[in-house]
Amino acid sequence: MVGTVPPERSRLCDRRRECAALDRLLATVHEGRSGVLVLRGEAGIGKTALLDHAVETASGCRIARVTGVESEMELTYAGLHQLCGAEMLHRLDRLPGPQRDALGSAVGQTAGAAPDRFLVGLAVLSLLADVAEKRPLLCVVEDAQWLDHASALVLAIAARRLQVESVVMLIAIREPCAAPEFEGLPELRVEGLPDRDARQLLASVTPGGLDARVRDRIVAETQGNPLALLELPRGLEPAELAAGFGLPGTLPVPHRIEESFARRLEQLPAATRLLLLAAAVEPTGEAQLVWRAAAQLGVGIDAAAPAQADGLLELGGRIVFRHPLVRSAVYGAASPDQRRTVHGALADAIDPGLDPERRAWHRAHAAPGPDEGVADELERTADGAQGRGSLVAAATLLERAVALTPDPRRRAERVLTAAQANLDAGSAAAASRLLDAADEELLDELGRARLERMRARIAFVTRRGRDAPPLLLRAARRLEPHDVRLARETYLEALDAAMFAVSLGSGVLELAEAARAAPPAPEPPQASDLLLDGLAALLTEGYAAGVPTLKRALDAYLHGDDLRWLQPATRTAWWLWDHEAWLTLTARAVQLARDTGALSQLPLALTHLAAATVLTGDLAAAAALLEEARSITTATGSPSIPPVEVYLAAWRGLEPEYTRRAEEMLADAEARGEGLAIAIIEYSTAILHNGLGNHGIALAAAQRACATGESPQWAIPELVEAAARTGRPELADTDMHKLCDFATSTGTELALGLRARCLALLARGQAAEDLFREAIDRLGRIRTRAHLARAHLLYGEWLRGERRRLDAREQLRTAHEMFVSMGVKGFADRAARELLASGERAPKPRVETSSRLTAQEAQIARLANEGLSNQEIGARLFLSPRTVEYHLHKVFTKLGIGSRTELGNVLAGVAANGAQTERR
């Protein structure tokens, strides 16, 4: 790739503060630690000089250098290609399979499905750690603002996860350009030189001396920018410079520097300028390619000599410009015809079998106007780019194909394809821009329906707004006459968006009615067809009508291989209170995301599994799953999925932490109109305060949760308990009837067990006792220890109220020990108070050995105990194997053990204590 010529070492003036920061960072790498630093500053301010200082002083380190090029921003993974040269890529086989395949596909070494960029980022992290295993590694990224988005993203992912790999990453960003991928990383702002040093540097290139007023003007206007101080005097006669008559007018510093380079270019032969233009528009800077293109232009290699003598570039395996502004000046000085001619020569010089994307890109820029042949090549090349995961490249090529398509109808069709490619690449804004420019009159009915569907999906992706479900509904209706399968998928997408984004009001009912009236699925129906039909029936006619079909859908997902729409299926299991199906499907969704490397989907799947795991009573495992999800969202910069964190905090009884998080999340959910998130937060509030004994607060929260209709029946047990404990059981009558009907329809052990528990709270005498025993029996048959422990607690409280203290103590003791083993503090304290009131003091909770570990350490310990290798743990937790080894050593030290076998014994002892408690 075209880079920049390092300035002379002697010109690094007064950078003691910056050099000291770099030296400190480099010192850590020899201690086995890693570090990241982002250098920010305007063009010419000295970032490159500082990077060169780091390279020169990084004794004993390997060096990997990447330079962003503005014209290369459209070429996906171009920067990654430069970083992962042959020296690194021969190590691909040492990476875990999914990472190896993802990175190999990204750099074009292997064919395969489009790799998830976050998995590519993890692969880069693992590769850097492997390279640094025997010798520390310094990665230098210059002009990061011009990296292609995919490369910037994966480098940022790796940078955020560096810990103890002996890797230092230095990233230089020109301001005021934006580089959002690197925001939040440690920064060092590079400012202009102080006046004294600026004068000294200026004097070094003006041996004839300057009038003091002229000198001060130059120093003031350049604001101490070193490159400006070096470049502005060039090309001026000593007399002009001394008097100041030859100085240009007031311009921003980068423009002045570029103008200085432009003046120098004017003095070069025409052939040299043409050669420089070829080097400027070819992003790789590959010398042999530029020479082949130059030969087609009738330019020989000797044409480079004048530019090389003037210090504008260096020749080698790659052609390196002195500074990016030289490249900008070269390109700006060329006419449009010259640019097209050079692009054409470069296209002809590229082997289409080796680099079809770059050849098509040059051909597109060489076209003087619409050209169906070039547009068709761009479209075909985009298909290949999508196949190897270059989604951004595919979208860029398709956009260019749109611009070059002469036939209006064909162009309108390509607009849809390009918009879909942008949406798939994560650029909803670009997709929306394309659709806004589309001429709907030139599309057929299917095309118009597809356009409407894309607009609806953009609305949901960008705003998660209330307008997305009705837009999807309209698109589904429009698709019906033309594509039944796509129409039905759009109905399902609309229902899923509605249940996620808005309250279950008339809008959702209208949507469900429309879905029920849609054409039937082709035979045999797929699992997603059953899911759509069941949800539509449930929402329009109630649980009795929808549950049978939904059970068939869940069975198809549980025993079949149709994994599309798996997330709505897991939510359906949650709706039906089928806990076993919920656990199984969420675990399958997590495994699928891991196996396919779909790290953009993995956080959502992990949070769903965490929610299902909470009810098993293994709150530590649920916390580990959420920590894994958080590690991915932090590394990738993707949004977190917060309500499950609140749900877990509620069960734990951590009121201060819960209140702070819940208030933030509730405000955000209300602003977005996310009814499901609001309901989960209100439901969680009811759980928290029922555990703490604040039943009045719990009652109000449960009523709000039930009123939303979003948390299907889940909040009713909290409402019944709070109403009974506040002496107002009549407030639960209506919802109790709903729960009874729901439990009868679903017939799951969880639903029937919770129905029995709720009815027991409202009954008296032997009827109440029979119901409590039924609840304990049913909940004991499934993996819902959290609800089982609460059944023991409520039964014990009822027995104490009946003055049966000995019987009460047995139930309360069981509940207390279960809650303590699970880490459910609020309910454990409530059980302890009830036990004390019955005449027995609860034993002081023992601090488990595992509680000494941090969340990440506990997570690593659990995975190590499951038999995963350091490499496998790193792949799962988005860490390098070396970082896993470091944390595992800390685990051993804290627990006073020396092997994984001993680790297993420690964790097994904790689990055994909980199991014994449950059996008692």
Side-chain angles (χ1 to χ4, degrees), residues 186-201:
E187 289 188 358
L188 176 65
R189 293 200 169 270
V190 185
E191 308 289 348
L193 296 174
D195 286 356
R196 176 182 174 182
D197 296 287
R199 293 189 192 107
Q200 180 183 348
L201 182 60

Side-chain angles (χ1 to χ4, degrees), residues 414-732:
R414 281 184 171 140
V415 164
L416 294 183
T417 306
Q420 185 63 58
N422 274 285
L423 197 55
D424 292 341
S427 181
S432 181
R433 172 176 48 78
L434 279 164
L435 294 179
D436 288 343
D439 189 344
E440 293 189 41
E441 297 301 320
L442 297 175
L443 294 170
D444 59 17
E445 273 302 311
L446 177 58
R448 293 183 190 128
R450 286 176 56 209
L451 184 147
E452 194 163 356
R453 180 174 186 258
M454 271 190 276
R455 282 181 172 151
R457 295 183 67 199
I458 290 169
F460 186 63
V461 167
T462 56
R463 301 189 297 276
R464 287 194 247 174
R466 297 176 177 87
D467 57 339
L471 289 173
L472 285 164
L473 169 60
R474 193 166 63 188
R477 283 173 166 161
R478 199 167 186 175
L479 282 164
E480 279 187 21
H482 310 286
D483 191 327
V484 171
R485 174 64 63 198
L486 188 57
R488 290 181 62 84
E489 289 185 359
T490 308
Y491 276 122
L492 183 55
E493 195 170 23
L495 280 174
D496 196 46
M499 290 184 287
F500 182 84
V502 299
S503 296
L504 291 177
S506 58
V508 177
L509 181 61
E510 178 191 1
L511 202 161
E513 288 173 343
R516 288 211 77 183
E523 291 292 339
Q526 299 178 357
S528 58
D529 292 314
L530 296 171
L531 195 59
L532 174 62
D533 292 339
L535 286 173
L538 182 148
L539 291 168
T540 54
E541 298 184 29
Y543 278 92
V547 165
T549 305
L550 288 175
K551 284 188 171 182
R552 287 176 59 205
L554 291 182
D555 187 68
Y557 277 107
L558 287 168
H559 301 102
D561 56 3
D562 185 355
L563 300 179
R564 296 179 310 139
W565 302 96
L566 191 55
Q567 294 292 357
T570 63
R571 284 193 285 275
T572 298
W574 175 65
W575 271 54
L576 298 185
W577 288 15
D578 189 338
H579 188 253
E580 290 301 313
W582 190 23
L583 273 174
T584 301
L585 291 176
T586 51
R588 182 177 293 182
V590 167
Q591 193 60 49
L592 178 66
R594 285 185 176 137
D595 290 345
T596 61
L599 296 186
S600 56
Q601 298 298 319
L602 184 53
L604 180 61
L606 286 166
T607 53
H608 285 169
L609 180 56
T613 302
V614 166
L615 292 186
T616 69
D618 195 348
L619 270 60
L625 290 165
L626 289 177
E627 176 65 24
E628 183 178 351
R630 192 181 301 111
S631 71
I632 296 172
T633 56
T634 300
T636 60
S638 53
S640 60
I641 305 147
V644 178
E645 294 182 9
V646 173
Y647 178 61
L648 176 61
W651 274 101
R652 282 178 159 171
L654 307 175
E655 185 176 12
E657 174 189 335
Y658 176 87
T659 302
R660 176 180 57 82
R661 295 286 291 149
E663 288 176 353
E664 294 173 359
M665 295 174 192
L666 187 60
D668 183 64
E670 287 174 342
R672 291 179 177 273
E674 293 178 2
L676 181 60
I678 294 169
I680 291 174
I681 294 168
E682 297 288 10
Y683 165 47
S684 300
T685 300
I687 293 173
L688 172 73
H689 287 286
N690 269 332
L692 297 173
N694 303 325
H695 299 297
I697 299 175
L699 176 61
Q703 287 176 317
R704 290 192 296 270
C706 290
T708 66
E710 287 286 358
S711 181
Q713 322 304 334
W714 277 104
I716 294 178
E718 305 302 330
L719 174 62
V720 173
E721 182 174 332
R725 287 293 180 262
T726 56
R728 293 181 287 176
E730 70 281 356
L731 296 179

Side-chain angles (χ1 to χ4, degrees), residues 3 13 31 59 115 134 151 173 208 244 286 336 395 598 646 726 801 883:
C13 300
E31 300 168 2
S59 59
K134 295 182 179 179
S151 294
I173 298 174
E286 183 187 338
V646 173
T726 56
T883 295

Side-chain angles (χ1 to χ4, degrees), residues 30-50:
H30 292 288
E31 300 168 2
R33 289 179 286 160
S34 296
V36 180
L37 190 63
V38 176
L39 308 181
R40 290 186 178 271
E42 68 176 8
I45 204 66
K47 301 184 297 298
T48 298
L50 288 168

